Amino acid sequence: MLEIRWHGRGGQGVWSGTAVLALAAIKAGKFAQSFPEFGPERRGAPVNGYNRIDDKPIKIHCGIYEPDAIIVIDPTLLKYREMILSGLKRGGKIVINSEKKPEKLREELKVGKDVEIWVADATSIALEEVKRPSTNTATLGVLLRAIPVVPMDKLAEAIMSRWPGDIGEKNVKAIKRAYEEAMSG
């Protein structure tokens, strides 16, 4: 079972990102969960979202405390190193929306070579392709490059189901571009 924890801020689409990824997994014939974690926070407050994806039914319904992968859609949250890295499994992957090189982020986060860091400037990609800073979908392209958890066509289908028409097409372009531009180190 693949377990993913997302970090972002209220209003940035963490929950939408988890929902789209879960829908793509279901369209690919997998089992999936998507759930947010937030309380009375307002727009701009740190929030988490979670995904579980497996080839067999998922029987647990609790928080994710030891994720296989972490997605950070808001790079300003990287200053909360302990929160971001909490519970990450050995050999885990971190997907970050950042214009910095993976090696620089590795130094800043103080993580060893046993953790893969995947990066793309999802903010710039979203602004250029979607015409708004919706980094949640662009970051999904980086995730697919790091972990081919679902086929790109199923992710595109899920995006178009969630946001039909022009906005969906723009988001699919952002995902594909982020996939191509993703770097690891």
Side-chain angles (χ1 to χ4, degrees), residues 6 11-21 71-74 95 97 120-127 129-145 150 152 155-156 158-163 166-180:
W6 295 59
Q12 291 180 325
V14 168
W15 192 6
S16 296
T18 66
V20 166
L21 181 58
I71 298 174
V72 182
I73 66 171
D74 186 328
V95 171
N97 164 28
D121 186 354
T123 301
S124 292
I125 292 169
L127 287 170
E129 300 295 343
V130 186
K131 308 300 183 217
R132 45 185 272 198
S134 52
T135 59
N136 59 344
T137 53
T139 308
L140 281 169
V142 184
L143 176 68
L144 254 59
R145 184 77 180 271
V150 296
M152 181 65 78
L155 184 56
I159 290 288
M160 295 306 295
S161 293
R162 179 96 182 191
W163 298 289
D166 187 52
I167 192 70
E169 290 171 13
K170 289 177 179 179
N171 275 282
V172 170
K173 281 181 70 176
I175 288 168
K176 289 179 178 179
R177 183 171 158 199
Y179 179 92
E180 292 301 324

Side-chain angles (χ1 to χ4, degrees), residues 74-85:
D74 186 328
T76 67
L77 294 173
L78 293 173
K79 64 185 174 187
Y80 303 110
R81 179 186 175 277
E82 292 78 21
M83 175 186 73
I84 297 295
L85 298 175

